[in-house]
């Protein structure tokens, strides 16, 4: 009986509160303070705005892109696997491998502009720095990196850093500091099996490297996520341009 009375009293108190809340004005001024009543309409608008903010916070994944993959000889192994991802996910892949190239090569010539105009990419992947792991003119390298980023203009990109085999004198840090948040995939902690020259990864190791980079590029950590679902079959990458070390770049 007491429990029923308590329940009835509680219901009456709730009902009274609802009635009082319903009849009070929308705004009450107490001195210099104004108290506004929260209505269902306010709550509804608040919920809609919060939902919109959450949607804006989720970066849109890019699909069906034209991808340009440029860099030094490390791109040779990476692009083989990237070809699988492109074929699996509906992207068009163009690869330009400039053997023995560096940030200086790409940053001081018009080679990048030439291939952007030729292939009209909507997304760019870069792997440069392996030939600069032990340089000391880091201030100059920083400027070359900034030049490359400037050449890309508004095209979304990710820079896959060199995977060093015996440390570096700072080129990875230089790249990371100058490409912007969400545009740098750090390869330094990867343990890659190397080929007979002890520098270039084996094909299997390069595929693992690309798989690891792809997880970042397709994630919300990336500034411009690219759809890269893991491929189930091999897709041959046929649009590859090879530039020899003697190539001086487009002036």
């Amino acid at each position: 009986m007491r429990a029923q009375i308590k329940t009835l009293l509680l219901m009456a108190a709730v009902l009274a509160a609802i009635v009082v809340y319903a009849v009070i004005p929308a705004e009450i001024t107490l001195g210099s303070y104004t108290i506004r009543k929260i209505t269902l309409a306010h709550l509804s608008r608040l919920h809609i705005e919060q939902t919109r903010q959450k949607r804006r916070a989720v970066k849109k994944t890019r699909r069906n892109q034209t991808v340009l993959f440029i860099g030094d000889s490390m791109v040779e192994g990476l692009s083989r696997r990237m070809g699988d991802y492109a074929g699996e996910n509906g992207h068009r892949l163009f690869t330009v491998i400039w053997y023995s190239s560096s940030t200086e090569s790409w940053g001081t010539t018009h080679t990048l502009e030439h291939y952007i105009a030729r292939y009209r990419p909507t997304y760019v992947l870069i792997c440069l720095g392996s030939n600069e792991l032990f340089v000391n003119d880091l201030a100059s390298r920083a400027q070359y990196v900034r030049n490359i980023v400037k050449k890309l203009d508004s095209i979304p990109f990710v820079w896959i850093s060199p995977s060093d085999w015996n440390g570096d004198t700072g080129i990875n840090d230089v790249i990371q500091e100058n490409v912007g948040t969400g545009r740098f995939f750090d390869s330094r902690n990867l343990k890659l099996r190397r080929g007979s020259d002890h520098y270039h990864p084996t094909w299997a190791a390069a595929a693992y490297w690309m798989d690891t980079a792809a997880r970042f590029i397709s994630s919300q950590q990336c500034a411009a996520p690219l759809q890269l679902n893991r491929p189930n079959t091999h897709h041959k990458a046929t649009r590859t341009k090879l530039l020899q070390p003697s190539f001086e770049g487009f002036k």
Side-chain angles (χ1 to χ4, degrees), residues 4 7 29 35 41 67-68 71 77 87 94 98 120 132 135 147 150 153 164 171 177 185-186 189 196 205 214:
Q4 292 177 340
T7 301
T29 301
I35 302 174
V67 180
L68 174 61
F94 295 94
W98 189 354
R120 299 186 181 281
E132 301 162 89
V135 297
N147 289 348
K150 185 177 180 180
D153 194 16
D164 63 80
I171 189 64
E177 290 166 5
F185 173 71
D186 196 338
N189 294 325
S196 57

mmCIF file with all atom_site columns, all heavy atoms in Angstrom, residues 4 7 29 35 41 67-68 71 77 87 94 98 120 132 135 147 150 153 164 171 177 185-186 189 196 205 214:
data_model
loop_
_atom_site.group_PDB
_atom_site.id
_atom_site.type_symbol
_atom_site.label_atom_id
_atom_site.label_alt_id
_atom_site.label_comp_id
_atom_site.label_asym_id
_atom_site.label_entity_id
_atom_site.label_seq_id
_atom_site.pdbx_PDB_ins_code
_atom_site.Cartn_x
_atom_site.Cartn_y
_atom_site.Cartn_z
_atom_site.occupancy
_atom_site.B_iso_or_equiv
_atom_site.pdbx_formal_charge
_atom_site.auth_seq_id
_atom_site.auth_comp_id
_atom_site.auth_asym_id
_atom_site.auth_atom_id
_atom_site.pdbx_PDB_model_num
ATOM 1   N N   . GLN A 1 4   ? 2.445  1.870  -3.329  1.00 0.00 ? 4   GLN A N   1
ATOM 2   C CA  . GLN A 1 4   ? 1.513  2.446  -4.291  1.00 0.00 ? 4   GLN A CA  1
ATOM 3   C C   . GLN A 1 4   ? 1.336  3.941  -4.067  1.00 0.00 ? 4   GLN A C   1
ATOM 4   O O   . GLN A 1 4   ? 1.265  4.732  -5.017  1.00 0.00 ? 4   GLN A O   1
ATOM 5   C CB  . GLN A 1 4   ? 0.157  1.742  -4.189  1.00 0.00 ? 4   GLN A CB  1
ATOM 6   C CG  . GLN A 1 4   ? 0.195  0.274  -4.662  1.00 0.00 ? 4   GLN A CG  1
ATOM 7   C CD  . GLN A 1 4   ? -1.146 -0.409 -4.482  1.00 0.00 ? 4   GLN A CD  1
ATOM 8   O OE1 . GLN A 1 4   ? -1.989 0.046  -3.698  1.00 0.00 ? 4   GLN A OE1 1
ATOM 9   N NE2 . GLN A 1 4   ? -1.332 -1.519 -5.179  1.00 0.00 ? 4   GLN A NE2 1
ATOM 10  N N   . THR A 1 7   ? 4.316  5.767  -5.331  1.00 0.00 ? 7   THR A N   1
ATOM 11  C CA  . THR A 1 7   ? 4.285  5.834  -6.795  1.00 0.00 ? 7   THR A CA  1
ATOM 12  C C   . THR A 1 7   ? 3.328  6.913  -7.267  1.00 0.00 ? 7   THR A C   1
ATOM 13  O O   . THR A 1 7   ? 3.633  7.702  -8.171  1.00 0.00 ? 7   THR A O   1
ATOM 14  C CB  . THR A 1 7   ? 3.872  4.472  -7.372  1.00 0.00 ? 7   THR A CB  1
ATOM 15  O OG1 . THR A 1 7   ? 4.795  3.473  -6.946  1.00 0.00 ? 7   THR A OG1 1
ATOM 16  C CG2 . THR A 1 7   ? 3.851  4.518  -8.898  1.00 0.00 ? 7   THR A CG2 1
ATOM 17  N N   . THR A 1 29  ? 13.665 36.861 -16.817 1.00 0.00 ? 29  THR A N   1
ATOM 18  C CA  . THR A 1 29  ? 14.805 37.729 -16.547 1.00 0.00 ? 29  THR A CA  1
ATOM 19  C C   . THR A 1 29  ? 14.975 37.887 -15.050 1.00 0.00 ? 29  THR A C   1
ATOM 20  O O   . THR A 1 29  ? 14.055 38.292 -14.334 1.00 0.00 ? 29  THR A O   1
ATOM 21  C CB  . THR A 1 29  ? 14.613 39.102 -17.194 1.00 0.00 ? 29  THR A CB  1
ATOM 22  O OG1 . THR A 1 29  ? 14.448 38.933 -18.610 1.00 0.00 ? 29  THR A OG1 1
ATOM 23  C CG2 . THR A 1 29  ? 15.820 40.006 -16.930 1.00 0.00 ? 29  THR A CG2 1
ATOM 24  N N   . ILE A 1 35  ? 16.985 33.621 -18.487 1.00 0.00 ? 35  ILE A N   1
ATOM 25  C CA  . ILE A 1 35  ? 16.860 32.158 -18.541 1.00 0.00 ? 35  ILE A CA  1
ATOM 26  C C   . ILE A 1 35  ? 15.843 31.817 -19.616 1.00 0.00 ? 35  ILE A C   1
ATOM 27  O O   . ILE A 1 35  ? 14.703 32.273 -19.585 1.00 0.00 ? 35  ILE A O   1
ATOM 28  C CB  . ILE A 1 35  ? 16.419 31.584 -17.178 1.00 0.00 ? 35  ILE A CB  1
ATOM 29  C CG1 . ILE A 1 35  ? 17.422 31.989 -16.087 1.00 0.00 ? 35  ILE A CG1 1
ATOM 30  C CG2 . ILE A 1 35  ? 16.270 30.072 -17.256 1.00 0.00 ? 35  ILE A CG2 1
ATOM 31  C CD1 . ILE A 1 35  ? 16.986 31.590 -14.690 1.00 0.00 ? 35  ILE A CD1 1
ATOM 32  N N   . ALA A 1 41  ? 11.101 21.848 -29.558 1.00 0.00 ? 41  ALA A N   1
ATOM 33  C CA  . ALA A 1 41  ? 11.641 22.378 -30.808 1.00 0.00 ? 41  ALA A CA  1
ATOM 34  C C   . ALA A 1 41  ? 13.134 22.665 -30.674 1.00 0.00 ? 41  ALA A C   1
ATOM 35  O O   . ALA A 1 41  ? 13.928 22.374 -31.569 1.00 0.00 ? 41  ALA A O   1
ATOM 36  C CB  . ALA A 1 41  ? 10.893 23.652 -31.204 1.00 0.00 ? 41  ALA A CB  1
ATOM 37  N N   . VAL A 1 67  ? 44.685 8.309  -60.107 1.00 0.00 ? 67  VAL A N   1
ATOM 38  C CA  . VAL A 1 67  ? 45.798 8.392  -59.159 1.00 0.00 ? 67  VAL A CA  1
ATOM 39  C C   . VAL A 1 67  ? 47.122 8.462  -59.911 1.00 0.00 ? 67  VAL A C   1
ATOM 40  O O   . VAL A 1 67  ? 47.400 7.633  -60.796 1.00 0.00 ? 67  VAL A O   1
ATOM 41  C CB  . VAL A 1 67  ? 45.808 7.165  -58.215 1.00 0.00 ? 67  VAL A CB  1
ATOM 42  C CG1 . VAL A 1 67  ? 46.970 7.268  -57.221 1.00 0.00 ? 67  VAL A CG1 1
ATOM 43  C CG2 . VAL A 1 67  ? 44.472 7.060  -57.473 1.00 0.00 ? 67  VAL A CG2 1
ATOM 44  N N   . LEU A 1 68  ? 47.941 9.436  -59.571 1.00 0.00 ? 68  LEU A N   1
ATOM 45  C CA  . LEU A 1 68  ? 49.301 9.549  -60.083 1.00 0.00 ? 68  LEU A CA  1
ATOM 46  C C   . LEU A 1 68  ? 50.261 9.179  -58.962 1.00 0.00 ? 68  LEU A C   1
ATOM 47  O O   . LEU A 1 68  ? 50.236 9.779  -57.897 1.00 0.00 ? 68  LEU A O   1
ATOM 48  C CB  . LEU A 1 68  ? 49.578 10.975 -60.563 1.00 0.00 ? 68  LEU A CB  1
ATOM 49  C CG  . LEU A 1 68  ? 51.018 11.286 -61.003 1.00 0.00 ? 68  LEU A CG  1
ATOM 50  C CD1 . LEU A 1 68  ? 51.430 10.418 -62.181 1.00 0.00 ? 68  LEU A CD1 1
ATOM 51  C CD2 . LEU A 1 68  ? 51.161 12.772 -61.346 1.00 0.00 ? 68  LEU A CD2 1
ATOM 52  N N   . GLY A 1 71  ? 57.794 9.075  -57.899 1.00 0.00 ? 71  GLY A N   1
ATOM 53  C CA  . GLY A 1 71  ? 58.877 8.963  -56.932 1.00 0.00 ? 71  GLY A CA  1
ATOM 54  C C   . GLY A 1 71  ? 60.101 8.285  -57.494 1.00 0.00 ? 71  GLY A C   1
ATOM 55  O O   . GLY A 1 71  ? 60.314 8.229  -58.709 1.00 0.00 ? 71  GLY A O   1
ATOM 56  N N   . GLY A 1 77  ? 58.347 -1.281 -56.708 1.00 0.00 ? 77  GLY A N   1
ATOM 57  C CA  . GLY A 1 77  ? 57.715 -2.358 -55.957 1.00 0.00 ? 77  GLY A CA  1
ATOM 58  C C   . GLY A 1 77  ? 56.362 -1.960 -55.407 1.00 0.00 ? 77  GLY A C   1
ATOM 59  O O   . GLY A 1 77  ? 55.404 -2.741 -55.450 1.00 0.00 ? 77  GLY A O   1
ATOM 60  N N   . GLY A 1 87  ? 42.848 -1.575 -59.440 1.00 0.00 ? 87  GLY A N   1
ATOM 61  C CA  . GLY A 1 87  ? 41.938 -2.428 -60.173 1.00 0.00 ? 87  GLY A CA  1
ATOM 62  C C   . GLY A 1 87  ? 40.763 -2.882 -59.342 1.00 0.00 ? 87  GLY A C   1
ATOM 63  O O   . GLY A 1 87  ? 39.633 -2.976 -59.830 1.00 0.00 ? 87  GLY A O   1
ATOM 64  N N   . PHE A 1 94  ? 48.324 5.899  -62.780 1.00 0.00 ? 94  PHE A N   1
ATOM 65  C CA  . PHE A 1 94  ? 49.453 6.259  -63.634 1.00 0.00 ? 94  PHE A CA  1
ATOM 66  C C   . PHE A 1 94  ? 50.689 6.353  -62.740 1.00 0.00 ? 94  PHE A C   1
ATOM 67  O O   . PHE A 1 94  ? 50.654 7.023  -61.698 1.00 0.00 ? 94  PHE A O   1
ATOM 68  C CB  . PHE A 1 94  ? 49.208 7.603  -64.329 1.00 0.00 ? 94  PHE A CB  1
ATOM 69  C CG  . PHE A 1 94  ? 48.058 7.591  -65.298 1.00 0.00 ? 94  PHE A CG  1
ATOM 70  C CD1 . PHE A 1 94  ? 46.792 7.977  -64.879 1.00 0.00 ? 94  PHE A CD1 1
ATOM 71  C CD2 . PHE A 1 94  ? 48.236 7.179  -66.610 1.00 0.00 ? 94  PHE A CD2 1
ATOM 72  C CE1 . PHE A 1 94  ? 45.722 7.975  -65.761 1.00 0.00 ? 94  PHE A CE1 1
ATOM 73  C CE2 . PHE A 1 94  ? 47.170 7.163  -67.499 1.00 0.00 ? 94  PHE A CE2 1
ATOM 74  C CZ  . PHE A 1 94  ? 45.908 7.553  -67.079 1.00 0.00 ? 94  PHE A CZ  1
ATOM 75  N N   . TRP A 1 98  ? 61.128 7.689  -61.459 1.00 0.00 ? 98  TRP A N   1
ATOM 76  C CA  . TRP A 1 98  ? 62.359 8.378  -61.869 1.00 0.00 ? 98  TRP A CA  1
ATOM 77  C C   . TRP A 1 98  ? 63.488 7.802  -61.019 1.00 0.00 ? 98  TRP A C   1
ATOM 78  O O   . TRP A 1 98  ? 63.649 8.157  -59.864 1.00 0.00 ? 98  TRP A O   1
ATOM 79  C CB  . TRP A 1 98  ? 62.197 9.863  -61.652 1.00 0.00 ? 98  TRP A CB  1
ATOM 80  C CG  . TRP A 1 98  ? 63.305 10.717 -62.216 1.00 0.00 ? 98  TRP A CG  1
ATOM 81  C CD1 . TRP A 1 98  ? 64.475 10.305 -62.781 1.00 0.00 ? 98  TRP A CD1 1
ATOM 82  C CD2 . TRP A 1 98  ? 63.326 12.149 -62.247 1.00 0.00 ? 98  TRP A CD2 1
ATOM 83  N NE1 . TRP A 1 98  ? 65.224 11.373 -63.168 1.00 0.00 ? 98  TRP A NE1 1
ATOM 84  C CE2 . TRP A 1 98  ? 64.544 12.521 -62.863 1.00 0.00 ? 98  TRP A CE2 1
ATOM 85  C CE3 . TRP A 1 98  ? 62.438 13.142 -61.830 1.00 0.00 ? 98  TRP A CE3 1
ATOM 86  C CZ2 . TRP A 1 98  ? 64.896 13.852 -63.049 1.00 0.00 ? 98  TRP A CZ2 1
ATOM 87  C CZ3 . TRP A 1 98  ? 62.788 14.469 -62.019 1.00 0.00 ? 98  TRP A CZ3 1
ATOM 88  C CH2 . TRP A 1 98  ? 64.006 14.820 -62.624 1.00 0.00 ? 98  TRP A CH2 1
ATOM 89  N N   . ARG A 1 120 ? 46.205 14.445 -65.553 1.00 0.00 ? 120 ARG A N   1
ATOM 90  C CA  . ARG A 1 120 ? 45.115 15.103 -64.826 1.00 0.00 ? 120 ARG A CA  1
ATOM 91  C C   . ARG A 1 120 ? 44.646 14.279 -63.607 1.00 0.00 ? 120 ARG A C   1
ATOM 92  O O   . ARG A 1 120 ? 43.474 13.907 -63.511 1.00 0.00 ? 120 ARG A O   1
ATOM 93  C CB  . ARG A 1 120 ? 43.936 15.370 -65.766 1.00 0.00 ? 120 ARG A CB  1
ATOM 94  C CG  . ARG A 1 120 ? 44.292 16.284 -66.920 1.00 0.00 ? 120 ARG A CG  1
ATOM 95  C CD  . ARG A 1 120 ? 43.094 16.660 -67.748 1.00 0.00 ? 120 ARG A CD  1
ATOM 96  N NE  . ARG A 1 120 ? 43.447 17.524 -68.856 1.00 0.00 ? 120 ARG A NE  1
ATOM 97  C CZ  . ARG A 1 120 ? 43.670 18.836 -68.777 1.00 0.00 ? 120 ARG A CZ  1
ATOM 98  N NH1 . ARG A 1 120 ? 43.554 19.435 -67.600 1.00 0.00 ? 120 ARG A NH1 1
ATOM 99  N NH2 . ARG A 1 120 ? 43.994 19.546 -69.836 1.00 0.00 ? 120 ARG A NH2 1
ATOM 100 N N   . GLU A 1 132 ? 68.007 10.182 -50.060 1.00 0.00 ? 132 GLU A N   1
ATOM 101 C CA  . GLU A 1 132 ? 68.418 11.334 -49.262 1.00 0.00 ? 132 GLU A CA  1
ATOM 102 C C   . GLU A 1 132 ? 68.492 11.014 -47.773 1.00 0.00 ? 132 GLU A C   1
ATOM 103 O O   . GLU A 1 132 ? 68.442 11.923 -46.941 1.00 0.00 ? 132 GLU A O   1
ATOM 104 C CB  . GLU A 1 132 ? 67.441 12.489 -49.495 1.00 0.00 ? 132 GLU A CB  1
ATOM 105 C CG  . GLU A 1 132 ? 67.348 12.915 -50.951 1.00 0.00 ? 132 GLU A CG  1
ATOM 106 C CD  . GLU A 1 132 ? 66.098 13.719 -51.244 1.00 0.00 ? 132 GLU A CD  1
ATOM 107 O OE1 . GLU A 1 132 ? 66.145 14.961 -51.109 1.00 0.00 ? 132 GLU A OE1 1
ATOM 108 O OE2 . GLU A 1 132 ? 65.071 13.099 -51.616 1.00 0.00 ? 132 GLU A OE2 1
ATOM 109 N N   . VAL A 1 135 ? 71.663 12.793 -46.196 1.00 0.00 ? 135 VAL A N   1
ATOM 110 C CA  . VAL A 1 135 ? 72.069 14.145 -46.605 1.00 0.00 ? 135 VAL A CA  1
ATOM 111 C C   . VAL A 1 135 ? 72.167 15.046 -45.378 1.00 0.00 ? 135 VAL A C   1
ATOM 112 O O   . VAL A 1 135 ? 71.575 14.781 -44.328 1.00 0.00 ? 135 VAL A O   1
ATOM 113 C CB  . VAL A 1 135 ? 71.070 14.736 -47.615 1.00 0.00 ? 135 VAL A CB  1
ATOM 114 C CG1 . VAL A 1 135 ? 71.033 13.908 -48.889 1.00 0.00 ? 135 VAL A CG1 1
ATOM 115 C CG2 . VAL A 1 135 ? 69.677 14.869 -46.992 1.00 0.00 ? 135 VAL A CG2 1
ATOM 116 N N   . ASN A 1 147 ? 58.299 22.983 -52.306 1.00 0.00 ? 147 ASN A N   1
ATOM 117 C CA  . ASN A 1 147 ? 58.079 23.232 -53.731 1.00 0.00 ? 147 ASN A CA  1
ATOM 118 C C   . ASN A 1 147 ? 57.164 22.165 -54.332 1.00 0.00 ? 147 ASN A C   1
ATOM 119 O O   . ASN A 1 147 ? 56.262 22.470 -55.121 1.00 0.00 ? 147 ASN A O   1
ATOM 120 C CB  . ASN A 1 147 ? 59.411 23.237 -54.492 1.00 0.00 ? 147 ASN A CB  1
ATOM 121 C CG  . ASN A 1 147 ? 60.265 24.462 -54.180 1.00 0.00 ? 147 ASN A CG  1
ATOM 122 O OD1 . ASN A 1 147 ? 59.782 25.424 -53.578 1.00 0.00 ? 147 ASN A OD1 1
ATOM 123 N ND2 . ASN A 1 147 ? 61.512 24.421 -54.585 1.00 0.00 ? 147 ASN A ND2 1
ATOM 124 N N   . LYS A 1 150 ? 53.646 22.685 -53.217 1.00 0.00 ? 150 LYS A N   1
ATOM 125 C CA  . LYS A 1 150 ? 53.076 23.837 -53.916 1.00 0.00 ? 150 LYS A CA  1
ATOM 126 C C   . LYS A 1 150 ? 52.656 23.465 -55.336 1.00 0.00 ? 150 LYS A C   1
ATOM 127 O O   . LYS A 1 150 ? 51.616 23.916 -55.833 1.00 0.00 ? 150 LYS A O   1
ATOM 128 C CB  . LYS A 1 150 ? 54.087 24.983 -53.937 1.00 0.00 ? 150 LYS A CB  1
ATOM 129 C CG  . LYS A 1 150 ? 53.543 26.269 -54.530 1.00 0.00 ? 150 LYS A CG  1
ATOM 130 C CD  . LYS A 1 150 ? 54.574 27.387 -54.455 1.00 0.00 ? 150 LYS A CD  1
ATOM 131 C CE  . LYS A 1 150 ? 54.027 28.685 -55.049 1.00 0.00 ? 150 LYS A CE  1
ATOM 132 N NZ  . LYS A 1 150 ? 55.038 29.782 -54.968 1.00 0.00 ? 150 LYS A NZ  1
ATOM 133 N N   . ASP A 1 153 ? 49.258 21.983 -55.666 1.00 0.00 ? 153 ASP A N   1
ATOM 134 C CA  . ASP A 1 153 ? 48.168 22.934 -55.509 1.00 0.00 ? 153 ASP A CA  1
ATOM 135 C C   . ASP A 1 153 ? 47.087 22.325 -54.604 1.00 0.00 ? 153 ASP A C   1
ATOM 136 O O   . ASP A 1 153 ? 47.351 22.018 -53.449 1.00 0.00 ? 153 ASP A O   1
ATOM 137 C CB  . ASP A 1 153 ? 47.613 23.331 -56.877 1.00 0.00 ? 153 ASP A CB  1
ATOM 138 C CG  . ASP A 1 153 ? 46.718 24.554 -56.823 1.00 0.00 ? 153 ASP A CG  1
ATOM 139 O OD1 . ASP A 1 153 ? 46.762 25.281 -55.814 1.00 0.00 ? 153 ASP A OD1 1
ATOM 140 O OD2 . ASP A 1 153 ? 45.970 24.781 -57.777 1.00 0.00 ? 153 ASP A OD2 1
ATOM 141 N N   . ASP A 1 164 ? 63.741 3.396  -44.041 1.00 0.00 ? 164 ASP A N   1
ATOM 142 C CA  . ASP A 1 164 ? 65.206 3.332  -43.954 1.00 0.00 ? 164 ASP A CA  1
ATOM 143 C C   . ASP A 1 164 ? 65.675 1.957  -43.501 1.00 0.00 ? 164 ASP A C   1
ATOM 144 O O   . ASP A 1 164 ? 64.958 1.202  -42.860 1.00 0.00 ? 164 ASP A O   1
ATOM 145 C CB  . ASP A 1 164 ? 65.721 4.410  -42.998 1.00 0.00 ? 164 ASP A CB  1
ATOM 146 C CG  . ASP A 1 164 ? 65.223 4.211  -41.576 1.00 0.00 ? 164 ASP A CG  1
ATOM 147 O OD1 . ASP A 1 164 ? 65.791 3.377  -40.862 1.00 0.00 ? 164 ASP A OD1 1
ATOM 148 O OD2 . ASP A 1 164 ? 64.229 4.877  -41.202 1.00 0.00 ? 164 ASP A OD2 1
ATOM 149 N N   . ILE A 1 171 ? 65.822 13.389 -43.059 1.00 0.00 ? 171 ILE A N   1
ATOM 150 C CA  . ILE A 1 171 ? 64.943 13.648 -44.198 1.00 0.00 ? 171 ILE A CA  1
ATOM 151 C C   . ILE A 1 171 ? 63.491 13.283 -43.894 1.00 0.00 ? 171 ILE A C   1
ATOM 152 O O   . ILE A 1 171 ? 62.565 13.967 -44.335 1.00 0.00 ? 171 ILE A O   1
ATOM 153 C CB  . ILE A 1 171 ? 65.441 12.906 -45.466 1.00 0.00 ? 171 ILE A CB  1
ATOM 154 C CG1 . ILE A 1 171 ? 64.649 13.357 -46.709 1.00 0.00 ? 171 ILE A CG1 1
ATOM 155 C CG2 . ILE A 1 171 ? 65.366 11.400 -45.272 1.00 0.00 ? 171 ILE A CG2 1
ATOM 156 C CD1 . ILE A 1 171 ? 64.828 14.804 -47.059 1.00 0.00 ? 171 ILE A CD1 1
ATOM 157 N N   . GLU A 1 177 ? 57.321 17.390 -41.501 1.00 0.00 ? 177 GLU A N   1
ATOM 158 C CA  . GLU A 1 177 ? 57.048 18.751 -41.039 1.00 0.00 ? 177 GLU A CA  1
ATOM 159 C C   . GLU A 1 177 ? 56.488 19.656 -42.134 1.00 0.00 ? 177 GLU A C   1
ATOM 160 O O   . GLU A 1 177 ? 55.860 20.670 -41.843 1.00 0.00 ? 177 GLU A O   1
ATOM 161 C CB  . GLU A 1 177 ? 58.334 19.370 -40.489 1.00 0.00 ? 177 GLU A CB  1
ATOM 162 C CG  . GLU A 1 177 ? 58.796 18.749 -39.178 1.00 0.00 ? 177 GLU A CG  1
ATOM 163 C CD  . GLU A 1 177 ? 60.227 19.134 -38.821 1.00 0.00 ? 177 GLU A CD  1
ATOM 164 O OE1 . GLU A 1 177 ? 60.810 19.968 -39.568 1.00 0.00 ? 177 GLU A OE1 1
ATOM 165 O OE2 . GLU A 1 177 ? 60.757 18.607 -37.835 1.00 0.00 ? 177 GLU A OE2 1
ATOM 166 N N   . PHE A 1 185 ? 52.664 9.261  -44.489 1.00 0.00 ? 185 PHE A N   1
ATOM 167 C CA  . PHE A 1 185 ? 52.668 7.905  -43.947 1.00 0.00 ? 185 PHE A CA  1
ATOM 168 C C   . PHE A 1 185 ? 54.089 7.579  -43.528 1.00 0.00 ? 185 PHE A C   1
ATOM 169 O O   . PHE A 1 185 ? 55.012 7.554  -44.349 1.00 0.00 ? 185 PHE A O   1
ATOM 170 C CB  . PHE A 1 185 ? 52.176 6.873  -44.953 1.00 0.00 ? 185 PHE A CB  1
ATOM 171 C CG  . PHE A 1 185 ? 52.339 5.459  -44.448 1.00 0.00 ? 185 PHE A CG  1
ATOM 172 C CD1 . PHE A 1 185 ? 51.530 4.992  -43.418 1.00 0.00 ? 185 PHE A CD1 1
ATOM 173 C CD2 . PHE A 1 185 ? 53.323 4.631  -44.957 1.00 0.00 ? 185 PHE A CD2 1
ATOM 174 C CE1 . PHE A 1 185 ? 51.701 3.708  -42.911 1.00 0.00 ? 185 PHE A CE1 1
ATOM 175 C CE2 . PHE A 1 185 ? 53.497 3.348  -44.466 1.00 0.00 ? 185 PHE A CE2 1
ATOM 176 C CZ  . PHE A 1 185 ? 52.679 2.882  -43.435 1.00 0.00 ? 185 PHE A CZ  1
ATOM 177 N N   . ASP A 1 186 ? 54.279 7.313  -42.253 1.00 0.00 ? 186 ASP A N   1
ATOM 178 C CA  . ASP A 1 186 ? 55.604 7.075  -41.680 1.00 0.00 ? 186 ASP A CA  1
ATOM 179 C C   . ASP A 1 186 ? 55.985 5.607  -41.838 1.00 0.00 ? 186 ASP A C   1
ATOM 180 O O   . ASP A 1 186 ? 55.388 4.728  -41.222 1.00 0.00 ? 186 ASP A O   1
ATOM 181 C CB  . ASP A 1 186 ? 55.592 7.466  -40.198 1.00 0.00 ? 186 ASP A CB  1
ATOM 182 C CG  . ASP A 1 186 ? 56.997 7.619  -39.636 1.00 0.00 ? 186 ASP A CG  1
ATOM 183 O OD1 . ASP A 1 186 ? 57.944 7.054  -40.218 1.00 0.00 ? 186 ASP A OD1 1
ATOM 184 O OD2 . ASP A 1 186 ? 57.151 8.313  -38.611 1.00 0.00 ? 186 ASP A OD2 1
ATOM 185 N N   . ASN A 1 189 ? 59.209 2.587  -39.080 1.00 0.00 ? 189 ASN A N   1
ATOM 186 C CA  . ASN A 1 189 ? 59.177 1.438  -38.163 1.00 0.00 ? 189 ASN A CA  1
ATOM 187 C C   . ASN A 1 189 ? 58.942 0.102  -38.867 1.00 0.00 ? 189 ASN A C   1
ATOM 188 O O   . ASN A 1 189 ? 58.872 -0.940 -38.215 1.00 0.00 ? 189 ASN A O   1
ATOM 189 C CB  . ASN A 1 189 ? 58.083 1.656  -37.108 1.00 0.00 ? 189 ASN A CB  1
ATOM 190 C CG  . ASN A 1 189 ? 58.406 2.816  -36.191 1.00 0.00 ? 189 ASN A CG  1
ATOM 191 O OD1 . ASN A 1 189 ? 59.569 3.054  -35.860 1.00 0.00 ? 189 ASN A OD1 1
ATOM 192 N ND2 . ASN A 1 189 ? 57.387 3.560  -35.775 1.00 0.00 ? 189 ASN A ND2 1
ATOM 193 N N   . SER A 1 196 ? 68.769 -8.401 -53.128 1.00 0.00 ? 196 SER A N   1
ATOM 194 C CA  . SER A 1 196 ? 70.208 -8.697 -53.186 1.00 0.00 ? 196 SER A CA  1
ATOM 195 C C   . SER A 1 196 ? 71.074 -7.445 -53.055 1.00 0.00 ? 196 SER A C   1
ATOM 196 O O   . SER A 1 196 ? 72.244 -7.541 -52.662 1.00 0.00 ? 196 SER A O   1
ATOM 197 C CB  . SER A 1 196 ? 70.535 -9.412 -54.507 1.00 0.00 ? 196 SER A CB  1
ATOM 198 O OG  . SER A 1 196 ? 70.128 -8.617 -55.614 1.00 0.00 ? 196 SER A OG  1
ATOM 199 N N   . ALA A 1 205 ? 57.920 -7.946 -49.833 1.00 0.00 ? 205 ALA A N   1
ATOM 200 C CA  . ALA A 1 205 ? 58.057 -6.916 -48.803 1.00 0.00 ? 205 ALA A CA  1
ATOM 201 C C   . ALA A 1 205 ? 57.461 -5.590 -49.274 1.00 0.00 ? 205 ALA A C   1
ATOM 202 O O   . ALA A 1 205 ? 56.839 -4.857 -48.494 1.00 0.00 ? 205 ALA A O   1
ATOM 203 C CB  . ALA A 1 205 ? 59.526 -6.731 -48.434 1.00 0.00 ? 205 ALA A CB  1
ATOM 204 N N   . ALA A 1 214 ? 48.313 1.533  -47.380 1.00 0.00 ? 214 ALA A N   1
ATOM 205 C CA  . ALA A 1 214 ? 46.923 1.609  -47.834 1.00 0.00 ? 214 ALA A CA  1
ATOM 206 C C   . ALA A 1 214 ? 45.954 1.710  -46.661 1.00 0.00 ? 214 ALA A C   1
ATOM 207 O O   . ALA A 1 214 ? 44.918 2.386  -46.760 1.00 0.00 ? 214 ALA A O   1
ATOM 208 C CB  . ALA A 1 214 ? 46.586 0.393  -48.696 1.00 0.00 ? 214 ALA A CB  1
#
